[in-house]
Structures are given as C-alpha cells and as structure tokens.
Amino acid sequence: MGKQTTEMLKGTLEGIVLAILARQPAYGYEITARLRDQGFSDIAEGTIYALLVRIEQRGLVDVEKVPSEKGPPRKVYALNATGGEYLDEFWRTWSFLAERIEQLHRDIRPTHDTHDTDEAEGA
Amino acid sequence: MGKQTTEMLKGTLEGIVLAILARQPAYGYEITARLRDQGFSDIAEGTIYALLVRIEQRGLVDVEKVPSEKGPPRKVYALNATGGEYLDEFWRTWSFLAERIEQLHRDIRPTHDTHDTDEAEGA
DNA sequence: TACCGGTACTTAGCAAGACCGAATACTGAA
DNA sequence: TTCAGTATTCGGTCTTGCTAAGTACCGGTA
C-alpha cells in the first residue's frame, strides 16, 4: 500500500491494537506479526512499539514482563478498564466517521444540487 | 468530538473533500459549511484551506477564481482526471481498512485462541 | 462617516502519529 | 565465531490537523 494507508492509520491503528488486546493480552512482536498476517503487510515494527509505549503511559493497558525462551523478555500488554472505555469511545468515533464516509461513497453520482449557498454566477 | 476524531481525520479528510468535489466543484468556505452541516461540527476552517492548497499543488484539482457578491473572490476547486484516480485509490484504501476494522469490531468476543505463536508459559 | 458582522482566504507555529534506520540484547544453529 | 530469528528501544523526518491571528471585501446601521 502507499502513503494513503499511512495517513489513514493515524488515529485508527491505536484502536486496532486496543481491539486486538481486548481479545487477549499480547506483546509487541506478536501484534506486529498478527497485523502482517491480516494484510497490514507494511506496518513498521517501530510504529507498534511506539504505540504501545503511548497507550501504556496513558494508562490504557497493564504490562507484565514475561521471560521468553527465544530472546529477550516479552512485554505483555493487557487492556484494563480505562482502556476498555477508551476503546468504546474509539468505536463510537469510528462509526460516526465510517457512516459519513460510506454515505459519500454512495453519493458518487450528483443528484441535482439543491443546497442553499447562494448561486452567484458572475464573471 | 475529541482528539480521536482529529487523529482519525488525518488521511480521511482529504478523501472526504475530494469526494465532495467529485460531486460538484466548490470553494473552501462552502465546503467547510457543508461539512459542518453533515455533522463535522468542529473542523477548523484553516484546516480545509490548507488541505485545498495541498491538493492543488499536487495537481488533483483545477482552480478558478470567481468573484463573489458578498466578499473576496472565491477559489472554486474542481476534481480533474488525476484527482479522480487518486480518489479511486482512496476508496480502495478505505475499503481495505474499513473491512479489517469492522472484522475486529465483530470479533470482540475471543473465540478460543488458535494462533501459531509459541505458547511459552514460563516465568 | 465609522463601525460591525458576514463572507472568503492566508499564514505561522504547534502537536500527534507513522515512517526509517540503527542499535541493543538474548537464543540456538551452521 | 558468525548468522538468523526473537524482542525491544531510540532519534530524527514527514505529513497532517489545530490554533490563532490577520487580510480583504461587502452591506447595513448608528
């Protein structure tokens, strides 16, 4: 994908990750891999880690360090109550935006123009 | 709305405006007013004007200056061929993202966890 | 005349979030 | 010893929306 995806992820990626954590706790590397599996083929790893730091600092998740057999310890993130509320608000915001955008998508064909801005057709 | 809306608009507002222009040419003040009517009650005027400058510089729209009876001349923007293609790509990107997010929304309830990351439950 | 409100656009500086690239750290296999 | 895979961190860049202020043009009113 391209630049449009990058920009669109701003504001939605956070909700996506929170939604994943709502299903079950997970750590950064795992989340990145799962996103790639789901088609987000080019989400940068650094992006996810930065996002996790942010949501931790805002108190939306609880963190536990769990030793790994294959490398450095994992930081396992779990959605807490605050995070749950924040996620609910995310869904409300998303629905609001998605509805309006879908409406625009449907309205591709102009009907016949009956809005009430003045019709100054000079020059 | 709050900060979530602001962040979510990044990447989508451009498509929204292009979609409006796809229906019919319009000028900044008018677009702002129309967005407010449609529920985007707190989109800053400056944001729209800045966005219009950007899409003009990228050659997605054609611009015509039209005198107004009530104030300074209007800059009327019309989607051109390049803009049309760009808008198509926007819809593809949007659909991709929206489908995955809706999927997450549906999957709020954990099924039973059958992903293939290793199950190291040590500590 | 002088002022105000509505119309219409511009600009500078800020904040947030995704990107890239590199570094760090731990493990097991070639 | 080196390399690949696992796992996290960090610094700097770019894009984009917001704030806030300013410019400009018009009509109505005191």
Side-chain angles (χ1 to χ4, degrees), chain A residues 11-36:
Chain A
T12 50
L13 185 55
E14 191 174 282
I16 291 170
V17 169
L18 290 176
I20 288 175
L21 295 181
R23 289 186 48 132
Q24 58 189 315
Y27 55 98
Y29 194 82
E30 184 188 6
I31 294 170
T32 305
R34 207 174 301 183
L35 286 174
R36 290 203 208 283

Side-chain angles (χ1 to χ4, degrees), chain A residues 17-26 52 54-64 76-88:
Chain A
V17 169
L18 290 176
I20 288 175
L21 295 181
R23 289 186 48 132
Q24 58 189 315
L52 290 171
R54 272 194 324 261
I55 63 179
E56 180 186 357
Q57 284 173 346
R58 288 190 206 146
L60 307 180
V61 288
D62 296 327
V63 187
E64 193 189 354
V76 175
Y77 295 82
L79 200 70
N80 62 26
T82 309
E85 288 168 30
Y86 190 85
L87 180 56
D88 284 343

Side-chain angles (χ1 to χ4, degrees), chain B residues 21-65:
Chain B
L21 295 181
R23 289 186 48 133
Q24 59 189 315
Y27 56 97
Y29 194 83
E30 183 188 5
I31 294 171
T32 305
R34 207 173 301 185
L35 287 174
R36 289 203 209 283
D37 286 347
Q38 286 177 21
F40 295 102
S41 48
D42 45 26
I43 287 187
E45 250 188 292
T47 299
I48 299 299
Y49 287 115
L51 192 158
L52 290 171
V53 167
R54 271 193 325 262
I55 62 179
E56 180 187 357
Q57 283 173 346
R58 288 190 206 146
L60 307 179
V61 288
D62 297 327
V63 188
E64 193 189 354
K65 229 166 196 166

